[in-house]
Structure formats: C-alpha cells, structure tokens
Amino acid sequence: MPQSTMEKTLIRHITEIQNKISILEDALEIARKKHKDSVRHKELINSRTPVKAGAGAER
C-alpha cells in the first residue's frame, strides 16, 4: 500500500527516535555498571582494617 510523504516522514522520525532511545539505554547500562564498580571499590577500601602504628611511627 503506497504511503504518503507525511507517513514516510513520521516513520523515519519514529525510527530515529527509537535508535536514540536504544543508544541512551546502552549508555545508562554502562553508567550503572561503572557506578556499581565504583561503589564496590569504595566499600572495599572502607572495609580494610587500618594498619596499627608500629615502631618508628609518628606520635
């Protein structure tokens, strides 16, 4: 069935928007992973027990 110019334009715009949404979803997934890794790293650093001062340590 032939499509009008307006229909073709709308389909093209919808396709472009869907592609942009897909790109944003991928970027969000990457950002979430980086945030999760950052939180894990901070938790690891915070979970370490401090080293006790030994001989020669400043008082």
Side-chain angles (χ1 to χ4, degrees):
M1 169 162 70
Q3 294 177 327
S4 69
T5 304
M6 182 181 280
E7 287 174 322
K8 289 178 182 177
T9 302
L10 284 173
I11 290 170
R12 189 176 73 246
H13 285 311
I14 290 168
T15 303
E16 289 173 3
I17 291 168
Q18 288 172 329
N19 289 339
K20 289 176 183 179
I21 289 171
S22 177
I23 290 168
L24 289 171
E25 287 172 336
D26 291 346
L28 180 59
E29 185 179 333
I30 292 167
R32 282 183 174 148
K33 184 183 182 322
K34 285 185 177 184
H35 174 71
K36 189 175 177 182
D37 291 346
S38 174
V39 169
R40 268 198 218 135
H41 180 70
K42 287 176 186 172
E43 287 173 350
L44 178 64
I45 289 172
N46 291 337
S47 70
R48 293 183 182 162
T49 55
V51 177
K52 294 183 179 179
E58 293 183 358
R59 296 178 187 206

